Amino acid sequence: QYDDAIVYAHKAIEQHKRHTPVGTPQYYDVYDHIAYLYAEKGDSARCTLYLDSLFMGMDREMSLRNFSHMYMTRGICRQTLGHYASALADFKTADSILAAKYPLSEEYRVRLIPLMAGTENQLGHSDEAERLYRINVEQIRELYGENRLNYMEALIYLANANGFAGHLDSGCQIYTEAMLGLRRILKTQSPYMTADEREALWSPLSPLLANMTPYAIKADRCQTPFTISC
C-alpha cells in the first residue's frame, strides 16, 4: 500500500519540478507528503532525505505559518518513527515561531498542542501531557464551542491523559462529559445525516471510545454514571 502511494508521490514530484523554478521555496514544498509516507513505512533514512530536501526550501521571506509548518512536518515524521525527543523539540520550535506573532488561541498553534501533549506522553511525562491536553480542551472550546466533535475528541484525549497520570476520578468525569456531549450532538444532528456522514462522524472517535471499558475496569467503576455511559 505504501509502495504504491510512494510511486505516485514520486510522479507528482517530477510533474511539480517541471513547472516550478529551481531554487524557489515552492520547488521543495512537495517533499512533505513523501516524507510522511516513508515515515509511515518505517524508512527513517529516506524520510530524513526528503525532510532535508524540504528544509532546503527554507526562505527568509517565508510566512511564519509556513516556516512553522516545516518543523511540524518533521516533528510528525519523527514521532511516527518513534524519535520522540527530537519530535517534541520540533513541535516546540514550531510553536515558538508562531508565538512571536500569534496568541496561544491562534488556530495553527492550537493544532500543535495535542501533538506536543501526545509526544510528552510517549516520553513518560504524564503530568505535562495532561496539562497540555487540558489547555487543548480550553482552546478548542474557545475556538469552536462545546457542541462540536473536535471538542468531544479533545475531552476524550484529556480523559485518557488523566488515566495515564493516575487521576482516574477526574478522567471518568471527563469521559462522561464527552459521552453526554456526543449523545447531544447525535440527537440533534444524526436525523439529518446520510449513512456516509454518520460513518464519518464515528470513524475518528470510535477507537478512542473503545478505551472506555478497559478504563472503567482499571478505575474499578461499576454501575456508576461513567459505566452507564460506556
Side-chain angles (χ1 to χ4, degrees), residues 2-200:
Y2 290 123
D3 289 338
D4 290 341
I6 287 168
V7 168
Y8 286 114
H10 278 292
K11 291 179 179 178
I13 287 173
E14 291 306 314
Q15 287 295 321
H16 179 79
K17 285 180 176 179
R18 289 186 187 132
H19 299 94
T20 309
V22 177
T24 63
Q26 293 77 19
Y27 185 81
Y28 302 97
D29 64 9
V30 293
Y31 288 111
D32 57 352
H33 180 60
I34 196 166
Y36 283 136
L37 290 172
Y38 277 119
E40 291 284 350
K41 191 180 178 184
D43 191 332
S44 179
R46 285 190 173 87
C47 175
T48 300
L49 174 67
Y50 284 101
L51 287 172
D52 289 346
S53 297
L54 177 66
F55 273 78
M56 286 177 63
M58 191 180 294
D59 185 90
R60 292 181 182 178
E61 303 301 319
M62 184 179 292
S63 73
L64 289 179
R65 285 174 176 169
N66 287 341
F67 191 29
S68 171
H69 181 75
M70 293 172 67
Y71 283 94
M72 184 176 74
T73 296
R74 190 169 71 181
I76 292 172
C77 289
R78 286 174 165 176
Q79 184 186 53
T80 302
L81 289 164
H83 305 157
Y84 300 119
S86 56
L88 182 59
D90 277 334
F91 294 144
K92 287 183 175 180
T93 299
D95 184 62
S96 68
I97 291 168
L98 294 173
K101 182 177 180 180
Y102 301 106
L104 183 59
S105 57
E106 195 271 338
E107 185 176 4
Y108 281 80
R109 290 191 69 189
V110 172
R111 291 180 189 176
L112 283 161
I113 297 171
L115 292 172
M116 289 188 286
T119 312
E120 292 280 14
N121 192 58
Q122 291 286 354
L123 289 167
H125 307 156
S126 300
D127 288 338
E128 178 62 10
E130 181 186 351
R131 186 186 73 84
L132 288 169
Y133 277 126
R134 192 172 299 280
I135 292 172
N136 184 53
V137 166
E138 294 167 358
Q139 296 303 326
I140 292 290
R141 181 172 54 224
E142 288 296 317
L143 277 174
Y144 306 108
E146 295 186 357
N147 293 315
R148 294 286 295 271
L149 281 177
N150 54 355
Y151 178 68
M152 303 309 156
E153 187 176 19
L155 283 174
I156 293 168
Y157 277 114
L158 176 58
N160 286 328
N162 272 254
F164 282 117
H167 305 148
L168 296 174
D169 287 337
S170 59
C172 288
Q173 292 172 3
I174 296 166
Y175 248 132
T176 302
E177 180 184 351
M179 284 305 301
L180 292 174
L182 280 171
R183 287 178 181 176
R184 186 170 62 249
I185 290 173
L186 287 170
K187 185 176 180 179
T188 56
Q189 296 183 16
S190 62
Y192 308 102
M193 291 180 175
T194 65
D196 288 341
E197 287 171 336
R198 282 194 291 271
E199 176 66 23

